[in-house]
Amino acid sequence: NRQWVRNVKRTPRVRLSIGGEMFEGEARFLADPGDHDRVMSMVRRKYWMFLPMIALWRLLAVFRIVQFATGAFEVTLSKS
């Protein structure tokens, strides 16, 4: 489902399966710019190999060829 961001914003209750274990939790969209920047910094460090593609995507967004919108969630989990 490519609409997962909208779905989580609408219904923040989530269920994840990690290594065969089920977790339930609540997602919170990070609207605070400081929180968003902190998370995006972690994403850039982890996925450094995609930085050229991200830069190109941002450039294309300047010319309105594509839409560049990022979002981040914080998820609090509890084991089911």
Side-chain angles (χ1 to χ4, degrees):
N1 182 353
R2 296 180 59 110
Q3 303 299 320
W4 69 270
V5 173
R6 285 188 213 140
N7 292 343
V8 169
K9 281 183 175 180
R10 205 174 299 128
T11 309
R13 296 291 308 158
V14 296
R15 286 183 58 188
L16 300 172
S17 174
I18 303 171
E21 294 184 67
M22 291 298 294
F23 297 87
E24 292 187 6
E26 183 139 341
R28 178 179 72 89
F29 188 73
L30 299 179
D32 177 68
D35 288 340
H36 182 267
D37 290 345
R38 177 180 51 83
V39 169
M40 293 313 294
S41 176
M42 289 188 283
V43 168
R44 283 190 295 275
R45 279 195 308 272
K46 183 173 182 177
Y47 299 106
W48 59 268
M49 70 288 291
F50 296 111
L51 290 178
M53 287 191 327
I54 292 170
L56 175 61
W57 196 265
R58 284 184 176 178
L59 179 63
L60 294 173
V62 167
F63 295 104
R64 299 181 188 265
I65 296 169
V66 298
Q67 181 181 5
F68 186 80
T70 61
F73 291 91
E74 175 180 73
V75 178
T76 304
L77 297 175
S78 60
K79 193 169 179 181
S80 307

